[in-house]
Amino acid sequence: MPVNTSPYARTAQPDGADELVLYGREQQLAALQDRLRQAREGVSRLVFVEGPSGIGKTALIRRFLRTADRVRVLQASGAENETALAYGVLTQLLMRTAASAYAPGPGDEAHTAGSRLLALAERIPADTVAVLVVDDAHWADGPSLEALTFMLRRLQSTPVLTLLAVHDPADHELPDGLRRLRDDDHTLRLALDGLTVEQTAALSSRLLPAGLPPHAVGRLHAHTLGNPLHLRALLRQVPPAVLAAANSTLPAPRSYGLAVLERLARCDRPAQDLVAAASVLGLCAPLHRVARLADLDHPLPAVEQAVAQGLLAECPPGGPPELVFPHPLIRAAVYHHLGPARRAALHAGAVQATSDTVSRTWHRLLAGRVPDPALVADLAAGARRQATAGSWSNAASMASHASRLATTRPERERLTVEAADALLCDGRVSEAADLVRSLPGDMARAALRYVHGHLAFVRGETPGARVLLDDAWQHCDTSADPALARRIAERLSYVCLSQGEAGAAVRWARRAERLPAVPFTCGMLRYAQLAALGLTGAAEEGIALASRLPESVLVQPDDVDLLLGRGALRLGCDDLEGSRGDLRSAAPLCLRGPVPLRAMAQLLLGETEFRLGNWDGALHELESAASTATAAGLAWLEPVVHADAAAVLAVRGRTERAAAHLATARRSGGYGQSESGIAHVARAEAQLAAARGAPDEVAAALTPLLRREAVAETVVAPWRDLLADALTSLGEHRQAERILDGLDAPAAHRGRHSHLAAAARARGTLLAARRSPAAAEWSFRKALGHAEQVPDPFNRARVALAYGAFLRRTGKRTAAAEQLSRALDTFTALGAAPSAAHCERELTACGHHSPAPDSPLTPQELAIARLATSGLTNRQIARRLVLSIKTVEFHLSHAYTKLGITSRMGLLDKLPSAPTAPQ
């Protein structure tokens, strides 16, 4: 039998599903490869691959065997209709081998068949591992499993790897002996989960021309629990419009639904009625309510039947009994099988069987009766209660239904505004857009302009949103419709903030606060007001507004926007620990709030953790914010969050991932539309260029910001010190001085030690380049003093690096080495590879480090030679080390002579590689 000949090694899914199923399975594949290595070393191994049908067990085994070498694969699979066929699976294992004569007969004992299988395994060549694969082992016949168990218990030093794929890890159909082997400490159990939401989105994009909107992806993922088999079936069988409509109920895949209905048909009529009633009440419902709706006085016999067929489960043990569907698709199959008339009748009955007000309203709606003003009012009131409770998905759906069922025009317009805001708060941008498109053109101008303006802002069309919202305000009668006026003013406050117009943002926020509160406004008014106050230099006023808050851990959900605003103010005032405390308390509260508030909490917490030196935590929060913004269609925020994630990666030297985030930021619909987004993206591009040692690219990224007044006058994304450093390196000293003159005054006015440290450091570098050592040293010492006041390790180390480099060039090598060593320790701890490499070069030039002890080169020659091998020209090396070009040429000439070469091409073979940044 040829090595590694198996259907597993040859077949693949035509739609590329294997790649999606296996995305994120690297750990499981590595575990299988490790077990193969152990088997090759003479230790037999057993692996259980566990998970429901369609989860990817076969795909995982297929991928593993496709890459395995020097293996002999024997495979078989169980079948539900062949469990009574004695030795059917064992015969499959042996039929493709020369030992098919070893196949047992129906009358053979299990230990006899197992002995034959053991003897065959022991004949495997020394350089080959036998891999036994049994798919759907829970459906294998009993004698085969008994024989397999007999063999597995006696394998010790035989090179055999056995892979058993099963559905339920607690499957009682497995023999006792095999279950004991499964529970043994030496057995590997790989439990496979479904696809993630991101993988579900990728699969929908692969199978549907236009993919699905983010909210539809999330709903489909929850409906199928990420099972790839069910996902592919629904994406092929259900029209995209139905999948995307949040108010539609998703069906089960046809084959799955038929299997469920077969099990349902095995039940008697009371059990069928019980399951039908449960499907109308939801995924989980108290037993007494289900029994009441099913009109069963004695429901327990029906419960036993439904549970035995796997249609329902009873929980919790020891408490008031509830019935729950084991999988959402079981409920979907039963619910859709009811038919419109019976379904409506059950929903009508559920109104009386349900005590919860919101649930009663839903059942009244789904009963399909003629809408009445009372139902519309209850839907609108229920939407507001759900929003207050943090159930934004239900709130948005109820508000949307209320707006469509309203019977009078004024009520319909008012409810449409509320519904659009609720949908946007829940991140359902495409549904909101559909609702807005359906509005009549003769709708009241202020309301029409408002909903169009809000939608435009969320889509990232900030300038257009400003025009629409200004027009809405001009045509809004604040006394006749104060609720709409409040919405317009609140939205304008945030639009102005994103445009860098902090003063206008404060004025609009104050105007909104004087109007009555309204629901579905994204809950960001007080955050916007406090953030804007910080940008205008009135942080103390903002802190005073938040003074009534208790300790951050005691803040209630109603005040989360105020807590978030205080956290942002503290971040801007260098109170980093206070900011972290506020934001860590706000983040979990925001999980049940509007999606924009949730994304903002993640963004601010990421920025705070970055400055405090917790870069892993920062990257997690920022990439979570990016995922939230993308999933919710928050195009206005996407450039900022992706740019900030890119900045963290850039200073770590992970340039490829940083570039990918920046590319995503530029592709966003909000790119180039708001001053805040422009500043964040430009700063991240500059940090990426600085990590590559390209000051010309830094200057190219940041110089355009000087022409944008709103950005130049705020501190949304500090960038001036980066630009000054780049201009100094390029020899543009006068321009660098003008930049620093513009930085000193605002930084001193706000008293921010971090900005004052950055300004003094950049000025010290400029003065050193201008050959003013006394003034430069004074600036560097001033920078050190300010940096020590802020728990920001990276920027403190940047000051030490710049000061150490200056000291080295003035001949103070011992003092330089002290500063550089301190900076290197910090950069190494943070994982700031480009800065650490810079420190290494400076220390080498000090003579303090000697990475090549046998090298004939001096530290200065070695530093210059290493930069030459990285591809820099003599002019670029001179700029990097602040030397003259003639000095660089002099040291390179001496290096060539000492190494016996004639050009820099020979340096690659003569020098050890310099420290590099990981990609």
Side-chain angles (χ1 to χ4, degrees):
M1 175 181 175
V3 171
N4 200 8
T5 58
S6 162
Y8 287 105
R10 297 193 299 270
T11 59
Q13 294 293 327
D15 58 12
D18 271 4
E19 288 72 15
L20 289 168
V21 172
L22 292 167
Y23 184 81
R25 302 280 198 224
E26 294 82 4
Q27 185 176 356
Q28 289 90 340
L29 285 169
L32 289 174
Q33 290 158 359
D34 181 63
R35 284 302 193 272
L36 178 61
R37 178 188 59 77
Q38 294 176 27
R40 198 178 302 286
E41 292 172 355
V43 182
S44 65
R45 286 299 181 221
L46 173 62
V47 178
F48 275 78
V49 183
E50 303 167 350
S53 177
I55 203 67
K57 302 185 298 295
T58 301
L60 178 69
I61 295 172
R62 179 187 293 123
R63 171 61 62 84
F64 164 64
L65 292 177
R66 194 179 298 160
T67 58
D69 62 338
R70 293 181 292 137
V71 297
R72 191 169 187 177
V73 181
L74 306 177
Q75 80 281 336
S77 62
E80 191 173 14
N81 60 349
E82 295 182 2
T83 55
L85 181 61
Y87 296 116
V89 165
L90 193 56
T91 301
Q92 290 181 57
L93 285 173
L94 298 174
M95 66 186 300
R96 292 187 178 89
T97 73
S100 56
Y102 280 66
D108 286 349
E109 296 289 338
H111 70 272
T112 302
S115 297
R116 292 176 181 173
L117 192 58
L118 179 63
L120 179 63
E122 291 173 344
R123 293 173 49 191
I124 297 297
D127 63 341
T128 303
V129 175
V131 181
L132 307 183
V133 180
V134 181
D135 209 349
D136 289 333
H138 50 283
W139 283 334
D141 61 280
S144 289
L145 292 178
E146 293 284 0
L148 189 61
T149 303
F150 180 91
M151 181 202 71
L152 291 172
R153 288 171 59 84
R154 288 157 179 79
L155 285 174
Q156 293 187 16
S157 58
T158 309
V160 175
L161 174 63
T162 305
L163 307 178
L164 303 181
V166 297
H167 283 188
D168 185 355
D171 204 320
H172 297 294
E173 296 179 4
L174 300 178
D176 291 341
L178 190 54
R179 286 206 300 273
R180 285 193 293 270
L181 287 174
R182 178 199 61 196
D183 297 335
D184 188 271
D185 291 342
H186 295 97
T187 298
L188 174 65
R189 298 178 64 176
L190 296 178
L192 302 188
D193 297 321
L195 299 184
T196 64
V197 174
E198 292 76 14
Q199 293 159 356
T200 301
L203 183 60
S204 69
S205 297
R206 187 187 296 268
L207 298 182
L208 299 177
L212 288 174
H215 77 272
V217 170
R219 191 169 72 120
L220 184 60
H221 177 266
H223 187 61
T224 60
L225 303 183
N227 187 297
L229 180 68
H230 305 327
L231 283 168
R232 289 198 300 272
L234 289 175
L235 288 167
R236 290 188 178 115
Q237 296 169 11
V238 181
V242 175
L243 293 173
N247 295 326
S248 65
T249 57
L250 294 177
R254 293 191 192 104
S255 59
Y256 190 97
L258 289 173
V260 170
L261 296 179
E262 284 180 10
R263 283 184 271 161
L264 186 64
R266 297 172 193 155
C267 300
D268 61 19
R269 186 55 186 263
Q272 292 180 12
D273 290 344
L274 183 84
V275 176
S279 74
V280 168
L281 292 175
L283 286 172
C284 181
L287 173 58
H288 70 275
R289 288 183 186 164
V290 180
R292 179 181 177 185
L293 182 58
D295 197 21
L296 295 176
D297 294 329
H298 304 287
L300 292 183
V303 171
E304 289 183 359
Q305 287 190 50
V307 171
Q309 291 298 326
L311 298 170
L312 292 173
E314 190 178 9
C315 67
E322 292 188 349
L323 296 180
V324 59
F325 284 95
H327 195 288
L329 292 179
I330 298 176
R331 185 222 171 203
V334 175
Y335 185 80
H336 279 264
H337 182 64
L338 292 176
R342 190 179 181 200
R343 195 161 48 233
L346 284 170
H347 277 297
V351 174
Q352 304 304 319
T354 305
S355 59
D356 175 64
T357 304
V358 172
S359 297
R360 288 167 62 91
T361 304
W362 273 120
H363 288 303
R364 287 167 59 199
L365 173 70
L366 295 173
R369 296 177 179 173
V370 177
D372 58 79
L375 175 59
V376 173
D378 287 346
L379 282 168
R384 297 184 188 108
R385 284 195 297 270
Q386 291 288 286
T388 301
S391 299
W392 280 91
S393 181
N394 282 340
S397 295
M398 294 183 84
S400 181
H401 280 300
S403 68
R404 289 186 171 94
L405 297 177
T407 55
T408 66
R409 178 164 180 163
E411 183 181 40
R412 187 181 307 116
E413 290 185 358
R414 176 180 61 81
L415 291 175
T416 298
V417 171
E418 289 191 8
D421 276 358
L423 289 167
L424 292 173
C425 286
D426 193 39
R428 289 152 62 174
V429 179
S430 59
E431 285 184 76
D434 290 341
L435 183 64
V436 171
R437 277 194 295 269
S438 70
L439 297 175
D442 59 349
M443 179 178 174
R445 180 167 179 169
L448 187 64
R449 290 291 191 269
Y450 168 73
V451 292
H452 278 283
H454 189 181
L455 179 63
F457 174 71
V458 172
R459 284 174 160 176
E461 302 161 4
T462 311
R466 177 68 182 277
V467 172
L468 288 165
L469 292 169
D470 278 338
D471 186 75
W473 180 261
Q474 291 298 322
H475 290 85
C476 179
D477 186 339
T478 57
S479 57
D481 196 348
L484 179 61
R486 165 84 178 221
R487 293 178 189 278
I488 298 170
E490 187 166 336
R491 188 55 45 201
L492 276 167
S493 173
Y494 206 82
V495 169
C496 291
L497 179 63
S498 69
Q499 287 294 83
E501 300 176 38
V506 172
R507 291 191 294 274
W508 280 113
R510 288 171 175 164
R511 195 172 291 172
E513 278 196 322
R514 291 193 291 268
L515 295 165
V518 293
F520 316 127
T521 59
C522 294
M524 296 183 70
L525 176 63
R526 291 182 293 180
Y527 161 74
Q529 183 177 8
L530 266 63
L533 284 170
L535 294 178
T536 60
E540 294 80 5
E541 181 183 347
I543 294 291
L545 289 175
S547 61
R548 69 174 183 81
L549 286 176
E551 291 295 322
S552 56
V553 295
L554 301 177
V555 172
Q556 297 300 305
D558 289 348
D559 287 326
V560 67
D561 62 328
L562 191 59
L563 181 63
L564 201 64
R566 189 175 72 179
L569 278 178
R570 286 176 162 173
L571 174 61
C573 294
D574 291 336
D575 178 10
L576 303 186
E577 291 291 355
S579 175
R580 172 192 270 173
D582 283 348
L583 296 172
R584 283 186 172 179
S585 295
L589 296 176
C590 290
L591 290 177
R592 290 182 58 80
V595 176
L597 200 66
R598 185 189 318 158
M600 186 57 62
Q602 293 167 328
L603 169 64
L604 291 171
L605 183 55
E607 291 178 341
T608 301
E609 296 289 6
F610 173 72
R611 291 193 59 197
L612 283 166
N614 178 16
W615 287 6
D616 290 335
L619 190 58
H620 170 76
E621 294 295 340
L622 292 170
E623 292 193 323
S624 296
S627 296
T628 300
T630 299
L634 304 179
W636 62 273
L637 190 59
E638 280 188 277
V640 174
V641 291
H642 280 288
D644 281 9
V648 176
L649 292 162
V651 296
R652 278 193 153 175
R654 298 176 184 173
T655 55
E656 291 181 4
R657 280 183 64 190
H661 272 289
L662 277 171
T664 303
R666 295 187 200 98
R667 288 195 302 269
S668 166
Y671 177 62
Q673 299 289 319
S674 74
E675 301 299 324
S676 176
I678 290 168
H680 280 264
V681 171
R683 182 183 62 170
E685 288 176 333
Q687 287 171 318
L688 182 57
R692 293 195 295 253
D696 52 334
E697 295 178 22
V698 175
L702 294 176
T703 300
L705 296 185
L706 296 172
R707 297 190 290 273
R708 309 187 75 93
E709 182 179 352
V711 174
E713 294 303 319
T714 70
V715 290
V716 173
W719 51 270
R720 288 177 180 271
D721 61 311
L722 283 174
L723 179 56
D725 286 341
L727 293 171
T728 298
S729 181
L730 294 169
E732 302 287 342
H733 295 169
R734 289 187 178 180
Q735 178 68 355
E737 185 171 24
R738 283 194 291 270
I739 298 297
L740 291 173
D741 288 343
L743 177 61
D744 284 342
H749 173 65
R750 294 181 176 90
R752 291 186 60 181
H753 288 290
S754 60
H755 278 205
L756 292 167
R761 176 191 54 74
R763 189 170 292 279
T765 302
L766 173 62
L767 291 168
R770 283 183 158 179
R771 304 291 193 271
S772 301
E777 178 147 8
W778 183 86
S779 282
F780 282 126
R781 288 184 175 275
K782 179 181 176 183
L784 284 175
H786 285 298
E788 289 298 325
Q789 305 301 312
V790 186
D792 183 343
F794 179 63
N795 284 309
R796 191 183 300 167
R798 288 179 68 203
V799 174
L801 170 57
Y803 187 31
F806 162 75
L807 291 172
R808 178 189 66 78
R809 293 181 188 108
T810 56
K812 301 173 183 177
R813 294 193 172 188
T814 301
E818 180 181 348
Q819 293 291 333
L820 293 169
S821 296
R822 186 181 306 146
L824 179 60
D825 289 344
T826 300
F827 290 140
T828 302
L830 292 172
S835 298
H838 188 178
C839 272
E840 289 277 10
R841 291 193 298 270
E842 290 290 344
L843 283 165
T844 298
C846 281
H848 198 265
H849 275 198
S850 183
D854 298 328
S855 174
L857 304 184
T858 67
Q860 185 83 318
E861 290 167 351
L862 182 59
I864 290 173
R866 275 184 163 161
L867 288 174
T869 62
S870 70
L872 296 183
T873 66
N874 289 354
R875 182 179 296 277
Q876 289 170 327
I877 295 171
R879 287 175 179 168
R880 177 75 66 86
L881 298 179
V882 196
L883 300 171
S884 69
I885 296 177
K886 288 187 176 295
T887 300
V888 172
E889 292 171 347
F890 173 80
H891 284 301
L892 275 179
S893 176
H894 275 258
Y896 296 161
T897 301
K898 291 178 180 180
L899 296 175
I901 57 178
T902 58
S903 71
R904 67 178 61 204
M905 293 299 295
L907 291 173
L908 294 172
D909 298 325
K910 296 289 185 177
L911 295 179
S913 60
T916 58
Q919 292 299 306

